[in-house]
Amino acid sequence: MRRTRVYPAALATVMAGLFLLGGVATTASSKPKLKVAPKITSKAAYTARGSVGEAYVKNAAPGTKLLLVNSNNRIVRTGKADSYGSKVFYDIAPGKVFTVRTPKGKGAQGTRKFKVLKPGANPPQSFYDKIELKPGLNFVKMRDGVELAMTVRLPAGKTLADGPFPTFIEYSGYQTAAPHDLLAALLAGLGGNPPPPDPLTPASSTSVGSFIGPLLDFAVVSVQMRGSGCSGGAFDLFGWPTTYDGYDAVEAVAAQDWAEDGVGMGGISFSGITQLFTAGTKPPHLAAVSPLSVTDDVYFGTGFPGGIFNNGFAFSWITERADDAKPAPDGGQPWAKVMSTTGDPDVPEPLRSEQKQHCLDNQAMRLQTRNYNRLIETNPYRTPLLFEKRSPGAWVRNIDVPIFWVGAFQDEQTGGHWPEAVKSLPKGNKNVWVTMQNGVHVDSLGPSTITRWAEFMNLFVGDGRVPKMSPLVLAASAALYNEIASAGALPIQQSRFAALPDTPENVAAATAQFKQDPRIRILMDNGNAVEGDPGAIGAAWEATFSNWPINSTKPTAYYLGKGGAMTTSKPKNGSSVSYVSDPNARPAKTLGENAQGDSWLAQPPYQWEPLADGKGLGFVSPPLASDLFIAGPSSVDLYLKSSKANTDLQVTLTEVRPDGKETYIQNGWLRASHRALNPKASTAYNPVQTWMERDGRALKKGKYNYTRIQIYPAAHVFRAGSRIRLNIQAPGGDRTIWDFETIEKGNTNNTIGLGGAIPSKLVLPVIPGQTAQGTELPPPTALRGQPSRDYVPASNGG
């Protein structure tokens, strides 16, 4: 049985306030009266400094009482030094001047005055010109004095004498800056006799920077996020200091003689999300970014789909990050444990001992890591103070450099909501290329995208050069995809520009041709491109468009009716149908427990169960006379009456095929109390909630409540002869590793209005004139990320 914890909104608000404001809960109408601070009578033995929107103390005696004092001599925050002698005061007014004091007799020991840094108040160029990065592991101070670990990886087989090089940064909190060679480790593994695990090798999740980049003749700087690995500071997921560390990293790398002008960024997942934040800060020497498999919002995109806490992947992921942030050598990442005890055995003395000491010293603030699980679980609304600056989508609107963005609609980790951020890219940025596809998290690196990615990076990073794929990559592509995903794949293609001599004229011509590529590229039927190998990575065909949302989108309504019917005509007479909302009626996840990696297989062992009798509703259209192409989010507009004041809803869009199989397309979720819409952002096929506590509303008892649910974006062709199906049930049972902390206990009766004055409907984003381009219906289990099952009508007939 799944855990169910329900927290009243008032308690959630207080907990969020206590956590965010360091123990001082405030409201808009009532601010605490600040006490006068004791005067400084002697110098404190510890140090204090400002960061971006926060302040920190180091080297205090454990347990020391600490007062954060403003320029008016008022105490704005209090705390104690932890057992490492550190304290972080989070969420402090930027630009203000403070001291830290400890009461002593009739006065206080105190620090020098310092300023809390403002977002966007960036250091001068001279700050970066003083930084020198050498091949291997480096330790670099950021604008607030916190030291980050950065490992410089030169192109395979090259030395500094061969530079300067086109250079990109991979930046994340995974084991990123571990100094050993992932390329050598992976190539050794391909021979069938893998070497023993090396704790100083980067995580495979950083393979874009630590493996692919050097193999494609790029220099890469692997930047370890603060509060993780051997970097200093406290881990604060996507807080302002972390975001502006990205700015500082770009400018530090750009200042190196061995880096060509114009630094790029690359990476997948965590290393992709950081690119959106960094590019949003507009570093002047950032040339291009290439985010792969990202989320657009840590609240409604991944953490709280529909306002319901994702206690599957989201919970486990943030828990893992907290574990990574524990101080080494007793905790933390494997490479930090080694570096803080023995150091790197491949490095000679005295450098080995120097690196060891840096890593050990940088653990000092680890006990100040924010407790995100506590905050997330007690805050059911999208509190702006917490979530807005940590929303990748909020920074996307500032991105003015070339961007190559790839993701999957059915991404089992970060989810499929990310295309909603694409429309936030500035319209004036013409150098935008977005690739969308059905599939799973790893498929952004698939053969249908990797060559275009390499072309983009070669043309827009550094001085620019004619793109060529490494012969080793081409020869080993099948083995590499089998190693990464245990799946077959289309072969990686050589660049369309590879035959051109590498001259400035040809680079300009290749760049001009690349710029003619469409802004939006949708890869279709990923998994059905290799004959005889259903589920192999690669798209069978594609459709291209100039904008997102697609200009020609036609909202098309299908009305829910009696007997599970779904038609384009609204039923004249009103009726209703009910179901019991029971999250335990089906398995919570389609791959069971501890099956994260199985999502990437060509044929995952899905356990996608049909709707249980009486525990959900199904509605199906008549067979389609012609292909129906959809691209974008969809809307399920319900007239909902419930036996409870609140209920959790899950809606699922599927295709019922002529062969009797049912194919998963996409989900949507909503906690009904979150149903208030943002009218400016919503459209006929895309309902957008406010997610704000002030808009929360209980369901009206005994009344039909108009409730719109967004189905996350997807692109799919319903083939002629197939039927469109919509399922409505309690959350769970359709995703591989997402789970939901639902309020449902199996005793809620939900009633859906049908026709007349209560015409519930599905509204699809239909793209007129688009078809499956003559391609046949794929085998039922071919489409990656899209489970298949035998179609079983629901108890209401649909």
Side-chain angles (χ1 to χ4, degrees):
M1 187 180 225
R2 279 166 277 172
R3 296 175 300 137
T4 301
R5 290 192 291 271
V6 184
Y7 298 92
L11 173 61
T13 303
V14 172
M15 289 299 293
L18 287 171
F19 192 73
L20 288 169
L21 302 177
V24 181
T26 65
T27 67
S29 59
S30 174
K31 294 183 179 180
K33 186 175 181 179
L34 302 179
K35 295 182 179 180
V36 176
K39 291 184 178 181
I40 296 176
T41 53
S42 60
K43 182 181 177 181
Y46 50 81
T47 59
R49 187 163 178 170
S51 185
V52 187
E54 59 189 48
Y56 67 89
V57 174
K58 292 180 69 176
N59 302 316
T64 299
K65 185 176 182 179
L66 303 169
L67 311 177
L68 183 67
V69 180
N70 65 18
S71 58
N72 295 322
N73 205 42
R74 296 296 188 270
I75 301 169
V76 297
R77 202 77 63 81
T78 65
K80 288 185 178 182
D82 62 29
S83 60
Y84 280 44
S86 299
K87 173 64 182 176
V88 176
F89 294 103
Y90 287 107
D91 300 302
I92 305 299
K96 303 297 184 182
V97 174
F98 298 89
T99 58
V100 176
R101 307 177 191 182
T102 298
K104 182 76 171 180
K106 294 182 179 182
Q109 298 174 334
T111 65
R112 300 166 70 177
K113 294 179 181 179
F114 61 87
K115 182 179 288 188
V116 170
L117 307 180
K118 288 184 178 181
N122 302 309
Q125 183 61 42
S126 58
F127 174 81
Y128 304 106
D129 289 340
K130 297 174 183 177
I131 296 171
E132 182 182 5
L133 296 174
K134 299 178 180 179
L137 181 61
N138 301 263
F139 292 92
V140 181
K141 285 189 176 180
M142 300 291 96
R143 66 185 65 190
D144 62 354
V146 168
E147 200 172 63
L148 297 194
M150 299 185 185
T151 293
V152 175
R153 309 182 196 280
L154 298 182
K158 300 290 180 68
T159 68
L160 285 180
D162 299 308
F165 309 103
T167 303
F168 72 84
I169 291 167
E170 178 163 27
Y171 173 35
S172 89
Y174 291 146
Q175 181 152 309
T176 307
H180 284 189
D181 190 351
L182 180 62
L183 172 58
L186 288 177
L187 292 177
L190 293 177
N193 188 24
D198 177 4
L200 294 178
T201 298
S204 60
S205 53
T206 71
S207 60
V208 172
S210 53
F211 167 52
I212 297 173
L215 194 58
L216 295 182
D217 215 28
F218 288 92
V220 176
V221 181
S222 301
V223 178
Q224 189 71 46
M225 187 174 285
R226 68 170 55 206
S228 67
C230 283
S231 286
F235 184 74
D236 179 12
L237 182 64
F238 305 135
W240 275 336
T242 299
T243 294
Y244 283 95
D245 284 347
Y247 180 108
D248 290 350
V250 169
E251 293 305 298
V253 173
Q256 306 307 306
D257 292 339
W258 50 261
E260 293 180 357
D261 291 341
V263 173
M265 296 188 76
I268 186 171
S269 193
F270 205 171
S271 307
I273 297 168
T274 57
Q275 296 177 54
L276 301 179
F277 287 97
T278 301
T281 68
K282 296 188 175 184
H285 293 95
L286 179 64
V289 293
S290 55
L292 311 176
S293 299
V294 302
T295 184
D296 64 323
D297 196 280
V298 294
Y299 183 83
F300 51 74
T302 305
F304 284 80
I308 307 167
F309 180 49
N310 177 357
N311 67 356
F313 174 77
F315 183 89
S316 62
W317 188 86
I318 193 64
T319 301
E320 289 169 3
R321 304 289 71 74
D323 287 342
D324 277 356
K326 291 178 179 177
D330 294 332
Q333 294 175 342
W335 80 285
K337 294 179 180 181
V338 174
M339 292 297 298
S340 61
T341 50
T342 63
D344 184 350
D346 293 349
V347 173
E349 295 289 2
L351 181 58
R352 177 177 176 179
S353 293
E354 291 174 4
Q355 291 180 345
K356 171 187 171 182
Q357 194 61 48
H358 276 283
C359 187
L360 193 59
D361 291 345
N362 285 339
Q363 308 302 307
M365 295 174 67
R366 293 303 177 80
L367 298 182
Q368 294 298 305
T369 296
R370 297 186 95 161
N371 187 340
Y372 277 97
N373 277 333
R374 183 177 70 182
L375 179 58
I376 288 171
E377 291 187 4
T378 57
N379 181 18
Y381 292 92
R382 192 179 182 275
T383 307
L385 179 62
L386 173 65
F387 287 104
E388 190 61 24
K389 65 187 174 186
R390 293 177 173 83
S391 165
W395 295 84
V396 165
R397 64 177 67 101
N398 298 330
I399 296 177
D400 57 5
V401 297
I403 179 171
F404 186 86
W405 191 345
V406 186
F409 295 115
Q410 292 82 19
D411 190 310
E412 79 286 354
Q413 296 184 25
T414 51
H417 198 271
W418 66 271
E420 285 290 88
V422 171
K423 60 190 178 187
S424 297
L425 286 164
K427 289 183 171 57
N429 187 352
K430 303 302 181 184
N431 294 318
V432 172
W433 296 275
V434 182
T435 301
M436 307 176 180
Q437 62 186 335
N438 68 287
V440 296
H441 195 66
V442 73
D443 291 355
S444 291
L445 292 171
S448 299
T449 56
I450 191 67
T451 300
R452 296 282 183 100
W453 173 85
E455 290 177 346
F456 172 84
M457 296 295 280
N458 276 282
L459 293 171
F460 291 96
V461 172
D463 297 338
R465 61 188 179 188
V466 171
K468 291 181 176 64
M469 297 298 289
S470 162
L472 178 59
V473 171
L474 300 178
S477 66
L480 290 173
Y481 285 119
N482 186 64
E483 177 75 15
I484 294 170
S486 299
L490 285 173
I492 294 176
Q493 299 298 308
Q494 181 57 272
S495 169
R496 55 190 148 161
F497 308 116
L500 297 174
D502 192 11
T503 66
E505 295 78 13
N506 285 333
V507 171
T511 302
Q513 183 176 340
F514 190 95
K515 287 184 175 182
Q516 297 304 308
D517 286 357
R519 188 178 181 97
I520 305 297
R521 181 180 181 225
I522 302 181
L523 303 179
M524 303 297 294
D525 292 352
N526 175 25
N528 190 40
V530 180
E531 187 175 355
D533 191 5
I537 306 170
W541 56 285
E542 65 182 72
T544 60
F545 302 94
S546 59
N547 286 297
W548 186 269
I550 296 168
N551 293 337
S552 60
T553 303
K554 180 182 178 181
T556 303
Y558 287 82
Y559 290 90
L560 313 188
K562 290 181 179 180
M566 191 165 64
T567 63
T568 54
S569 298
K570 182 177 73 171
K572 293 183 180 179
N573 298 320
S575 61
S576 65
V577 64
S578 300
Y579 71 98
V580 175
S581 184
D582 184 359
N584 296 309
R586 298 189 299 158
K589 295 178 282 188
T590 57
L591 282 178
E593 299 297 328
N594 304 315
Q596 181 169 321
D598 289 349
S599 298
W600 298 358
L601 300 176
Q603 295 294 303
Y606 293 124
Q607 187 183 0
W608 188 35
E609 298 292 336
L611 296 178
D613 285 350
K615 303 299 179 67
L617 302 174
F619 299 89
V620 291
S621 73
L624 297 170
S626 58
D627 290 352
L628 185 76
F629 188 109
I630 65 167
S634 302
S635 182
V636 178
D637 303 345
L638 300 180
Y639 285 86
L640 169 69
K641 184 164 57 176
S642 180
S643 63
K644 299 291 179 67
N646 203 2
T647 187
D648 288 345
L649 302 159
Q650 175 176 288
V651 292
T652 310
L653 182 64
T654 71
E655 177 181 9
V656 178
R657 301 155 41 112
D659 60 8
K661 296 293 185 179
E662 183 179 10
T663 299
Y664 170 87
I665 300 171
Q666 192 57 287
N667 277 122
W669 301 268
L670 185 68
R671 179 158 291 168
S673 57
H674 287 272
R675 66 190 181 279
L677 295 177
N678 178 342
K680 292 183 179 180
S682 299
T683 67
Y685 63 91
N686 187 16
V688 178
Q689 275 73 27
T690 69
W691 309 116
M692 300 297 290
E693 182 179 12
R694 65 173 179 263
D695 297 323
R697 296 289 185 274
L699 293 168
K700 295 179 181 178
K701 186 176 182 180
K703 304 282 188 179
Y704 283 103
N705 300 263
Y706 188 52
T707 303
R708 299 186 64 196
I709 308 165
Q710 183 199 68
I711 296 179
Y712 281 12
H716 187 81
V717 174
F718 296 90
R719 266 37 178 225
S722 288
R723 293 182 286 169
I724 304 165
R725 190 184 193 201
L726 175 71
N727 299 321
I728 305 172
Q729 63 269 306
D734 288 347
R735 298 277 302 186
T736 57
I737 58 174
W738 280 20
D739 201 356
F740 299 91
E741 194 152 284
T742 178
I743 59 175
E744 300 299 336
K745 298 180 180 179
N747 59 356
T748 302
N749 190 279
N750 288 334
T751 300
I752 306 300
L754 307 174
I758 45 174
S760 298
K761 63 183 183 292
L762 165 69
V763 184
L764 295 176
V766 174
I767 312 301
Q770 292 286 335
T771 68
Q773 301 182 9
T775 59
E776 296 181 356
L777 189 69
T781 63
L783 300 185
R784 291 182 61 79
Q786 297 184 243
S788 174
R789 66 187 178 193
D790 293 331
Y791 167 57
V792 177
S795 54
N796 68 313

